[in-house]
mmCIF file of all heavy atoms in Angstrom:
data_model
loop_
_atom_site.group_PDB
_atom_site.id
_atom_site.type_symbol
_atom_site.label_atom_id
_atom_site.label_comp_id
_atom_site.label_asym_id
_atom_site.label_seq_id
_atom_site.Cartn_x
_atom_site.Cartn_y
_atom_site.Cartn_z
ATOM 1 N N SER A 539 13.673 -36.923 10.507
ATOM 2 C CA SER A 539 13.664 -38.254 11.198
ATOM 3 C C SER A 539 14.769 -38.381 12.196
ATOM 4 O O SER A 539 15.257 -39.464 12.459
ATOM 5 C CB SER A 539 13.651 -39.395 10.204
ATOM 6 O OG SER A 539 12.633 -39.250 9.252
ATOM 7 N N GLY A 540 15.213 -37.228 12.740
ATOM 8 C CA GLY A 540 16.287 -37.253 13.693
ATOM 9 C C GLY A 540 17.676 -37.347 13.003
ATOM 10 O O GLY A 540 18.715 -37.472 13.779
ATOM 11 N N GLN A 541 17.734 -37.182 11.737
ATOM 12 C CA GLN A 541 19.045 -37.260 11.039
ATOM 13 C C GLN A 541 19.752 -35.905 11.115
ATOM 14 O O GLN A 541 20.983 -35.818 10.810
ATOM 15 C CB GLN A 541 18.855 -37.632 9.516
ATOM 16 C CG GLN A 541 18.237 -39.105 9.449
ATOM 17 C CD GLN A 541 19.040 -40.117 10.131
ATOM 18 O OE1 GLN A 541 20.264 -40.264 9.848
ATOM 19 N NE2 GLN A 541 18.434 -40.896 10.926
ATOM 20 N N LYS A 542 18.970 -34.814 11.506
ATOM 21 C CA LYS A 542 19.682 -33.466 11.567
ATOM 22 C C LYS A 542 19.058 -32.770 12.758
ATOM 23 O O LYS A 542 18.006 -33.121 13.226
ATOM 24 C CB LYS A 542 19.327 -32.651 10.273
ATOM 25 C CG LYS A 542 19.857 -33.242 9.018
ATOM 26 C CD LYS A 542 21.338 -32.993 8.787
ATOM 27 C CE LYS A 542 21.816 -33.433 7.403
ATOM 28 N NZ LYS A 542 23.279 -33.212 7.208
ATOM 29 N N LEU A 543 19.771 -31.799 13.284
ATOM 30 C CA LEU A 543 19.323 -30.929 14.279
ATOM 31 C C LEU A 543 19.255 -29.526 13.684
ATOM 32 O O LEU A 543 20.168 -29.029 12.977
ATOM 33 C CB LEU A 543 20.269 -30.832 15.487
ATOM 34 C CG LEU A 543 20.449 -32.131 16.249
ATOM 35 C CD1 LEU A 543 21.470 -31.914 17.377
ATOM 36 C CD2 LEU A 543 19.062 -32.533 16.909
ATOM 37 N N ASN A 544 18.072 -28.909 13.777
ATOM 38 C CA ASN A 544 17.823 -27.497 13.282
ATOM 39 C C ASN A 544 18.168 -26.588 14.401
ATOM 40 O O ASN A 544 17.561 -26.623 15.426
ATOM 41 C CB ASN A 544 16.389 -27.413 12.797
ATOM 42 C CG ASN A 544 16.125 -25.961 12.334
ATOM 43 O OD1 ASN A 544 16.527 -25.504 11.312
ATOM 44 N ND2 ASN A 544 15.351 -25.230 13.110
ATOM 45 N N MET A 545 19.125 -25.701 14.159
ATOM 46 C CA MET A 545 19.456 -24.697 15.137
ATOM 47 C C MET A 545 19.277 -23.279 14.594
ATOM 48 O O MET A 545 19.671 -23.027 13.428
ATOM 49 C CB MET A 545 20.813 -24.821 15.701
ATOM 50 C CG MET A 545 21.238 -23.798 16.752
ATOM 51 S SD MET A 545 22.751 -24.131 17.662
ATOM 52 C CE MET A 545 23.896 -23.525 16.344
ATOM 53 N N VAL A 546 18.592 -22.389 15.245
ATOM 54 C CA VAL A 546 18.457 -21.019 14.862
ATOM 55 C C VAL A 546 18.861 -20.142 16.017
ATOM 56 O O VAL A 546 18.305 -20.213 17.107
ATOM 57 C CB VAL A 546 16.945 -20.756 14.479
ATOM 58 C CG1 VAL A 546 16.884 -19.305 13.914
ATOM 59 C CG2 VAL A 546 16.329 -21.783 13.546
ATOM 60 N N VAL A 547 19.781 -19.176 15.673
ATOM 61 C CA VAL A 547 20.190 -18.224 16.699
ATOM 62 C C VAL A 547 19.593 -16.907 16.259
ATOM 63 O O VAL A 547 19.771 -16.380 15.119
ATOM 64 C CB VAL A 547 21.717 -18.083 16.626
ATOM 65 C CG1 VAL A 547 22.151 -16.995 17.637
ATOM 66 C CG2 VAL A 547 22.428 -19.404 16.949
ATOM 67 N N PHE A 548 18.749 -16.312 17.139
ATOM 68 C CA PHE A 548 18.099 -15.069 16.910
ATOM 69 C C PHE A 548 18.851 -13.917 17.603
ATOM 70 O O PHE A 548 19.082 -13.994 18.839
ATOM 71 C CB PHE A 548 16.710 -15.062 17.358
ATOM 72 C CG PHE A 548 15.808 -16.079 16.697
ATOM 73 C CD1 PHE A 548 15.493 -17.323 17.188
ATOM 74 C CD2 PHE A 548 15.260 -15.772 15.403
ATOM 75 C CE1 PHE A 548 14.765 -18.245 16.550
ATOM 76 C CE2 PHE A 548 14.435 -16.729 14.811
ATOM 77 C CZ PHE A 548 14.195 -17.912 15.289
ATOM 78 N N THR A 549 19.251 -12.910 16.871
ATOM 79 C CA THR A 549 19.946 -11.757 17.447
ATOM 80 C C THR A 549 19.224 -10.439 16.952
ATOM 81 O O THR A 549 18.353 -10.513 16.051
ATOM 82 C CB THR A 549 21.429 -11.736 16.967
ATOM 83 O OG1 THR A 549 21.545 -11.605 15.612
ATOM 84 C CG2 THR A 549 22.096 -13.012 17.439
ATOM 85 N N GLU A 550 19.638 -9.357 17.525
ATOM 86 C CA GLU A 550 19.141 -8.080 17.155
ATOM 87 C C GLU A 550 20.330 -7.294 16.554
ATOM 88 O O GLU A 550 21.415 -7.389 16.997
ATOM 89 C CB GLU A 550 18.545 -7.313 18.319
ATOM 90 C CG GLU A 550 17.277 -8.063 18.867
ATOM 91 C CD GLU A 550 16.704 -7.294 20.022
ATOM 92 O OE1 GLU A 550 16.856 -6.081 20.152
ATOM 93 O OE2 GLU A 550 16.081 -7.939 20.878
ATOM 94 N N GLY A 551 20.063 -6.491 15.543
ATOM 95 C CA GLY A 551 21.154 -5.734 14.948
ATOM 96 C C GLY A 551 20.659 -5.102 13.558
ATOM 97 O O GLY A 551 19.446 -5.029 13.274
ATOM 98 N N GLU A 552 21.580 -4.726 12.718
ATOM 99 C CA GLU A 552 21.328 -4.077 11.491
ATOM 100 C C GLU A 552 21.496 -5.099 10.390
ATOM 101 O O GLU A 552 22.270 -6.005 10.415
ATOM 102 C CB GLU A 552 22.353 -2.863 11.250
ATOM 103 C CG GLU A 552 22.128 -1.760 12.200
ATOM 104 C CD GLU A 552 23.012 -0.538 11.863
ATOM 105 O OE1 GLU A 552 23.830 -0.642 10.925
ATOM 106 O OE2 GLU A 552 22.963 0.498 12.568
ATOM 107 N N PHE A 553 20.690 -4.898 9.308
ATOM 108 C CA PHE A 553 20.785 -5.764 8.138
ATOM 109 C C PHE A 553 20.266 -4.973 6.963
ATOM 110 O O PHE A 553 19.092 -4.607 6.844
ATOM 111 C CB PHE A 553 19.921 -6.997 8.308
ATOM 112 C CG PHE A 553 20.323 -8.163 7.446
ATOM 113 C CD1 PHE A 553 21.129 -9.187 7.984
ATOM 114 C CD2 PHE A 553 19.904 -8.194 6.130
ATOM 115 C CE1 PHE A 553 21.570 -10.202 7.119
ATOM 116 C CE2 PHE A 553 20.349 -9.291 5.313
ATOM 117 C CZ PHE A 553 21.154 -10.263 5.787
ATOM 118 N N LYS A 554 21.139 -4.597 6.075
ATOM 119 C CA LYS A 554 20.759 -3.653 5.016
ATOM 120 C C LYS A 554 20.222 -4.268 3.747
ATOM 121 O O LYS A 554 19.557 -3.535 2.884
ATOM 122 C CB LYS A 554 21.993 -2.779 4.688
ATOM 123 C CG LYS A 554 22.517 -1.937 5.804
ATOM 124 C CD LYS A 554 23.706 -1.130 5.451
ATOM 125 C CE LYS A 554 24.155 -0.300 6.652
ATOM 126 N NZ LYS A 554 25.409 0.497 6.220
ATOM 127 N N GLN A 555 20.428 -5.578 3.536
ATOM 128 C CA GLN A 555 19.990 -6.135 2.221
ATOM 129 C C GLN A 555 18.595 -6.775 2.340
ATOM 130 O O GLN A 555 18.193 -7.279 3.378
ATOM 131 C CB GLN A 555 20.975 -7.319 1.908
ATOM 132 C CG GLN A 555 22.321 -6.849 1.629
ATOM 133 C CD GLN A 555 23.310 -8.041 1.340
ATOM 134 O OE1 GLN A 555 23.894 -8.549 2.260
ATOM 135 N NE2 GLN A 555 23.434 -8.392 0.133
ATOM 136 N N LYS A 556 17.809 -6.559 1.214
ATOM 137 C CA LYS A 556 16.534 -7.066 1.126
ATOM 138 C C LYS A 556 16.619 -8.374 0.459
ATOM 139 O O LYS A 556 16.621 -8.492 -0.774
ATOM 140 C CB LYS A 556 15.563 -6.175 0.321
ATOM 141 C CG LYS A 556 14.232 -6.660 0.084
ATOM 142 C CD LYS A 556 13.368 -5.689 -0.759
ATOM 143 C CE LYS A 556 12.026 -6.255 -1.138
ATOM 144 N NZ LYS A 556 11.275 -5.415 -2.010
ATOM 145 N N THR A 557 16.862 -9.498 1.288
ATOM 146 C CA THR A 557 17.104 -10.796 0.695
ATOM 147 C C THR A 557 16.699 -11.842 1.607
ATOM 148 O O THR A 557 16.497 -11.601 2.799
ATOM 149 C CB THR A 557 18.601 -10.918 0.361
ATOM 150 O OG1 THR A 557 18.815 -12.180 -0.259
ATOM 151 C CG2 THR A 557 19.512 -10.791 1.582
ATOM 152 N N TRP A 558 16.565 -13.042 1.152
ATOM 153 C CA TRP A 558 16.404 -14.240 2.082
ATOM 154 C C TRP A 558 17.766 -14.803 2.409
ATOM 155 O O TRP A 558 18.754 -14.157 2.583
ATOM 156 C CB TRP A 558 15.425 -15.232 1.327
ATOM 157 C CG TRP A 558 14.074 -14.842 1.538
ATOM 158 C CD1 TRP A 558 13.113 -14.862 0.503
ATOM 159 C CD2 TRP A 558 13.331 -14.383 2.659
ATOM 160 N NE1 TRP A 558 11.969 -14.393 1.029
ATOM 161 C CE2 TRP A 558 11.985 -14.146 2.256
ATOM 162 C CE3 TRP A 558 13.630 -14.256 3.983
ATOM 163 C CZ2 TRP A 558 10.980 -13.727 3.126
ATOM 164 C CZ3 TRP A 558 12.727 -13.788 4.924
ATOM 165 C CH2 TRP A 558 11.373 -13.577 4.394
ATOM 166 N N ALA A 559 17.870 -16.142 2.593
ATOM 167 C CA ALA A 559 18.940 -16.786 3.095
ATOM 168 C C ALA A 559 20.234 -16.482 2.226
ATOM 169 O O ALA A 559 20.171 -16.481 1.026
ATOM 170 C CB ALA A 559 18.837 -18.248 3.081
ATOM 171 N N GLN A 560 21.306 -16.145 2.950
ATOM 172 C CA GLN A 560 22.608 -16.081 2.236
ATOM 173 C C GLN A 560 23.677 -16.540 3.213
ATOM 174 O O GLN A 560 23.510 -16.518 4.423
ATOM 175 C CB GLN A 560 22.908 -14.588 1.958
ATOM 176 C CG GLN A 560 22.843 -13.544 3.091
ATOM 177 C CD GLN A 560 23.161 -12.181 2.592
ATOM 178 O OE1 GLN A 560 23.922 -11.991 1.714
ATOM 179 N NE2 GLN A 560 22.459 -11.220 3.194
ATOM 180 N N PRO A 561 24.782 -17.062 2.694
ATOM 181 C CA PRO A 561 25.821 -17.591 3.578
ATOM 182 C C PRO A 561 26.304 -16.523 4.609
ATOM 183 O O PRO A 561 26.429 -15.372 4.241
ATOM 184 C CB PRO A 561 26.932 -17.959 2.653
ATOM 185 C CG PRO A 561 26.192 -18.177 1.321
ATOM 186 C CD PRO A 561 25.055 -17.129 1.284
ATOM 187 N N ALA A 562 26.509 -16.995 5.779
ATOM 188 C CA ALA A 562 26.992 -16.140 6.905
ATOM 189 C C ALA A 562 28.380 -16.545 7.389
ATOM 190 O O ALA A 562 28.861 -17.655 7.158
ATOM 191 C CB ALA A 562 25.996 -16.206 7.992
ATOM 192 N N ASN A 563 28.995 -15.625 8.094
ATOM 193 C CA ASN A 563 30.310 -15.880 8.612
ATOM 194 C C ASN A 563 30.153 -16.454 10.015
ATOM 195 O O ASN A 563 29.659 -15.715 10.980
ATOM 196 C CB ASN A 563 31.062 -14.457 8.786
ATOM 197 C CG ASN A 563 32.459 -14.665 9.136
ATOM 198 O OD1 ASN A 563 32.837 -15.477 9.923
ATOM 199 N ND2 ASN A 563 33.342 -13.818 8.556
ATOM 200 N N LEU A 564 30.449 -17.699 10.178
ATOM 201 C CA LEU A 564 30.340 -18.397 11.456
ATOM 202 C C LEU A 564 31.263 -17.723 12.487
ATOM 203 O O LEU A 564 30.787 -17.718 13.673
ATOM 204 C CB LEU A 564 30.703 -19.871 11.325
ATOM 205 C CG LEU A 564 30.541 -20.728 12.498
ATOM 206 C CD1 LEU A 564 29.092 -20.710 13.026
ATOM 207 C CD2 LEU A 564 30.954 -22.232 12.165
ATOM 208 N N THR A 565 32.419 -17.202 12.045
ATOM 209 C CA THR A 565 33.246 -16.627 13.098
ATOM 210 C C THR A 565 32.647 -15.363 13.701
ATOM 211 O O THR A 565 32.698 -15.090 14.923
ATOM 212 C CB THR A 565 34.616 -16.190 12.424
ATOM 213 O OG1 THR A 565 35.236 -17.368 11.844
ATOM 214 C CG2 THR A 565 35.551 -15.505 13.392
ATOM 215 N N GLN A 566 31.892 -14.614 12.801
ATOM 216 C CA GLN A 566 31.205 -13.455 13.277
ATOM 217 C C GLN A 566 30.137 -13.798 14.255
ATOM 218 O O GLN A 566 29.930 -13.176 15.333
ATOM 219 C CB GLN A 566 30.464 -12.715 12.111
ATOM 220 C CG GLN A 566 29.730 -11.488 12.524
ATOM 221 C CD GLN A 566 29.007 -10.861 11.367
ATOM 222 O OE1 GLN A 566 29.118 -11.367 10.269
ATOM 223 N NE2 GLN A 566 28.248 -9.764 11.654
ATOM 224 N N LEU A 567 29.377 -14.911 13.980
ATOM 225 C CA LEU A 567 28.386 -15.353 15.008
ATOM 226 C C LEU A 567 28.993 -15.798 16.272
ATOM 227 O O LEU A 567 28.468 -15.527 17.361
ATOM 228 C CB LEU A 567 27.531 -16.561 14.357
ATOM 229 C CG LEU A 567 26.405 -17.121 15.277
ATOM 230 C CD1 LEU A 567 25.458 -16.030 15.715
ATOM 231 C CD2 LEU A 567 25.758 -18.313 14.594
ATOM 232 N N LYS A 568 30.114 -16.540 16.217
ATOM 233 C CA LYS A 568 30.761 -16.962 17.430
ATOM 234 C C LYS A 568 31.191 -15.754 18.343
ATOM 235 O O LYS A 568 31.111 -15.844 19.532
ATOM 236 C CB LYS A 568 31.962 -17.865 17.143
ATOM 237 C CG LYS A 568 31.491 -19.224 16.656
ATOM 238 C CD LYS A 568 32.730 -20.177 16.383
ATOM 239 C CE LYS A 568 32.292 -21.512 16.047
ATOM 240 N NZ LYS A 568 33.414 -22.468 15.830
ATOM 241 N N GLN A 569 31.617 -14.731 17.597
ATOM 242 C CA GLN A 569 31.969 -13.487 18.364
ATOM 243 C C GLN A 569 30.725 -12.909 19.051
ATOM 244 O O GLN A 569 30.864 -12.455 20.240
ATOM 245 C CB GLN A 569 32.645 -12.486 17.453
ATOM 246 C CG GLN A 569 33.990 -12.888 16.897
ATOM 247 C CD GLN A 569 34.472 -11.932 15.841
ATOM 248 O OE1 GLN A 569 33.783 -11.089 15.311
ATOM 249 N NE2 GLN A 569 35.771 -12.044 15.520
ATOM 250 N N ILE A 570 29.680 -12.909 18.355
ATOM 251 C CA ILE A 570 28.371 -12.318 18.966
ATOM 252 C C ILE A 570 28.014 -13.219 20.156
ATOM 253 O O ILE A 570 27.496 -12.656 21.183
ATOM 254 C CB ILE A 570 27.271 -12.396 17.970
ATOM 255 C CG1 ILE A 570 27.637 -11.302 16.823
ATOM 256 C CG2 ILE A 570 25.904 -12.023 18.584
ATOM 257 C CD1 ILE A 570 26.607 -11.479 15.668
ATOM 258 N N MET A 571 28.245 -14.574 20.149
ATOM 259 C CA MET A 571 27.805 -15.424 21.165
ATOM 260 C C MET A 571 28.890 -15.614 22.240
ATOM 261 O O MET A 571 28.727 -16.560 23.077
ATOM 262 C CB MET A 571 27.440 -16.819 20.571
ATOM 263 C CG MET A 571 26.432 -16.764 19.414
ATOM 264 S SD MET A 571 24.907 -15.788 19.947
ATOM 265 C CE MET A 571 24.158 -17.045 20.952
ATOM 266 N N GLN A 572 29.914 -14.888 22.232
ATOM 267 C CA GLN A 572 30.878 -14.941 23.350
ATOM 268 C C GLN A 572 30.235 -14.796 24.683
ATOM 269 O O GLN A 572 29.461 -13.923 24.826
ATOM 270 C CB GLN A 572 32.016 -13.981 23.078
ATOM 271 C CG GLN A 572 33.040 -14.413 22.071
ATOM 272 C CD GLN A 572 34.217 -13.421 21.967
ATOM 273 O OE1 GLN A 572 34.165 -12.297 22.570
ATOM 274 N NE2 GLN A 572 35.133 -13.679 21.136
#
Side-chain angles (χ1 to χ4, degrees):
S539 307
Q541 299 302 306
K542 299 283 186 180
L543 295 174
N544 177 71
M545 185 171 75
V546 189
V547 180
F548 296 98
T549 63
E550 298 181 24
E552 295 184 358
F553 203 98
K554 297 181 180 180
Q555 294 175 273
K556 177 183 173 181
T557 182
W558 281 130
Q560 58 180 324
N563 187 325
L564 183 58
T565 301
Q566 179 186 359
L567 178 60
K568 287 184 175 181
Q569 290 175 347
I570 294 172
M571 306 305 289
Q572 281 184 354

